[in-house]
Amino acid sequence: MMSLNKKSKVVTQGDDRAPARSMLRAVGLTDEDMNKPFIGIANLVSDVTPCNVHLDRIAQKVKIGVRDAGMVPMMFGTITISDGISMGTEGMKASLVSREIIADSIEAVVFGESLDGLLAVAACDKNMPGVMMAMARLNVPSIFVYGGAILPGKYDGKDINIQDMFEAVGAYSRGDLSLKQLIDMEKVACPGEGACSGMFTANTMSSAIEAMGMSIPGASSIPAVDPRNEAVAVKSGEFLIDLIKKDIKPRDIMTKRAFENAITTVLAMGGSTNAVLHLLAMAHEAEVDLNIEDFNTLSEKTPYITNLRPGGKYVMSDVDKAGGVPVILKELLNAGLLHGDVLTITGKTMTENL
């Protein structure tokens, strides 16, 4: 395993590193661990939003997967700002800024601790592009692990979500909804953990990241409460050790053609226009020449082939029932709208995965 710890060996190898090793032993490392790759697990767990409240459960499974694959997990945390809660307040001034703080904080830890790889567990508007920016900037073998979407709530026999709550406020202000109805909806709209259920920013980014080849195929649509997320989390260690062995890094995957796949997928699914903000920022960190005109060019030839909220009827858990984002990717590939030859974190091409 010595050849796989190219970065961390600067803190573990040699007589002069005895002080560093003594500190590493204090956190539980053994003689054997000193020769293994050190893997950062960026855990964006937070009580400030349902998007992230459950992420520690998933991150702990990632940790198990890293250990099982013969590596050393090193978990650390960073921040989250919830747009859904901050919207309409001065708190929104912190929203986009938080993306940069997240990227900087992950870069600081992975660089500062000489880590050999990175797994990031995230599930909210700005922390998802934030971790992807860090991955592109650091360019060590990396995988994104999505925490999953929230299930829809039920009110008056219909599925509702956070979008309905914003619309309900308007209906109440017009006198079309009573205060009791507003509060009754409020109590059921968000039934538990997970990112907002429609094609809002989080699910838009999870779909884009999968289409880019930076997450495990099929994982981006699994609901947060589904135990399959934990199986994906464990599996991520197996995929990461293969990336390290093959020396496949984010910039090998996050190419111009991969970004075009991500944009095409967002367009086909009716994703959030925030994808423009975030994909351009991610491309900048990956040193990919992407600009806003690329979105227009792809938009002219990409059909809208889903029926997802906020513009349509269904939510991300419905996409999962239909087979997940790979079903959409395969439709696009068959129509000649996707670059099938791009590399992914599986070590295979997009076509081979599909």
Side-chain angles (χ1 to χ4, degrees):
M1 298 292 286
M2 287 291 289
S3 62
L4 304 183
N5 61 344
K6 289 190 294 185
K7 290 186 178 294
S8 61
K9 67 183 180 182
V10 302
V11 297
T12 61
Q13 307 302 311
D15 296 343
D16 61 332
R17 302 315 301 159
R21 289 194 299 271
S22 69
M23 295 190 75
L24 291 169
R25 292 182 194 279
V27 297
L29 270 63
T30 64
D31 286 348
E32 187 180 32
D33 288 334
M34 300 299 176
N35 297 321
K36 296 176 180 178
F38 286 7
I39 306 302
I41 301 174
N43 178 7
L44 283 95
V45 65
S46 171
D47 287 346
V48 304
T49 172
C51 308
N52 291 43
V53 71
H54 64 298
L55 294 187
D56 194 56
R57 184 181 77 241
I58 295 174
Q60 292 296 337
K61 295 296 183 181
V62 170
K63 201 171 181 180
I64 291 170
V66 168
R67 276 281 181 203
D68 288 350
M71 303 178 287
V72 178
M74 293 192 166
M75 192 182 297
F76 60 92
T78 185
I79 68 163
T80 288
I81 301 291
S82 172
D83 289 9
I85 296 171
S86 299
M87 204 169 298
T89 75
E90 281 206 274
M92 277 303 285
K93 293 177 180 177
S95 178
L96 192 54
V97 175
S98 73
R99 185 188 72 181
E100 316 308 309
I101 296 170
I102 292 160
D104 291 350
S105 65
I106 294 173
E107 178 191 20
V109 175
V110 175
F111 170 78
E113 296 300 315
S114 302
L115 304 181
D116 300 294
L118 173 63
L119 284 155
V121 184
C124 199
D125 292 8
K126 303 306 182 295
N127 62 55
M128 297 171 69
V131 301
M132 295 304 298
M133 289 164 65
M135 287 178 182
R137 198 183 291 174
L138 289 158
N139 205 34
V140 297
S142 304
I143 295 174
F144 176 81
V145 180
Y146 186 38
I150 195 171
L151 293 174
K154 283 282 187 184
Y155 180 75
D156 199 21
K158 297 177 182 177
D159 285 353
I160 66 169
N161 60 50
I162 192 67
Q163 175 191 351
D164 297 283
M165 288 314 305
F166 284 107
E167 294 174 0
V169 170
Y172 171 70
S173 69
R174 292 193 309 269
D176 296 337
L177 202 69
S178 71
L179 180 60
K180 182 181 184 306
Q181 288 173 311
L182 179 67
I183 301 301
D184 286 346
M185 288 180 68
E186 171 191 325
K187 290 179 178 178
V188 298
C190 300
E193 62 198 43
C196 299
S197 61
M199 279 302 283
F200 310 118
T201 307
N203 285 324
T204 296
M205 292 313 301
S206 75
S207 302
I209 293 165
E210 180 173 333
M212 192 179 293
M214 284 295 293
S215 62
I216 293 176
S220 66
S221 63
I222 302 173
V225 295
D226 194 314
R228 284 180 296 154
N229 274 321
E230 296 182 13
V232 168
V234 174
K235 190 81 172 172
S236 64
E238 186 179 316
F239 280 106
L240 187 63
I241 190 65
D242 284 342
L243 291 179
I244 292 173
K245 287 176 179 177
K246 295 172 183 175
D247 197 30
I248 297 174
K249 298 183 284 293
R251 294 188 196 181
D252 299 321
I253 297 171
M254 298 171 69
T255 62
K256 177 68 176 285
R257 289 161 73 84
F259 274 97
E260 289 176 348
N261 283 351
I263 295 167
T264 298
T265 303
V266 169
L267 293 165
M269 296 180 72
S272 170
T273 53
N274 278 340
V276 180
L277 277 178
H278 298 322
L279 289 171
L280 288 174
M282 289 159 55
H284 175 76
E285 300 296 352
E287 298 184 0
V288 167
D289 182 20
L290 189 73
N291 61 69
I292 201 164
E293 289 306 316
D294 292 314
F295 289 81
N296 290 333
T297 301
L298 291 168
S299 182
E300 288 170 1
K301 65 178 183 179
T302 303
Y304 173 45
I305 61 172
T306 63
N307 184 16
L308 295 168
R309 301 197 72 174
K313 178 181 178 182
Y314 299 100
V315 294
M316 202 60 165
S317 57
D318 297 310
V319 174
D320 186 62
K321 292 173 188 173
V325 172
V327 171
I328 296 159
L329 295 177
K330 198 164 187 179
E331 288 288 326
L332 294 169
L333 181 68
N334 291 340
L337 297 170
L338 217 60
H339 302 298
D341 59 347
V342 296
L343 186 64
T344 71
I345 58 104
T346 66
K348 300 177 182 179
T349 65
M350 179 65 71
T351 296
E352 289 172 327
N353 288 343
L354 294 173

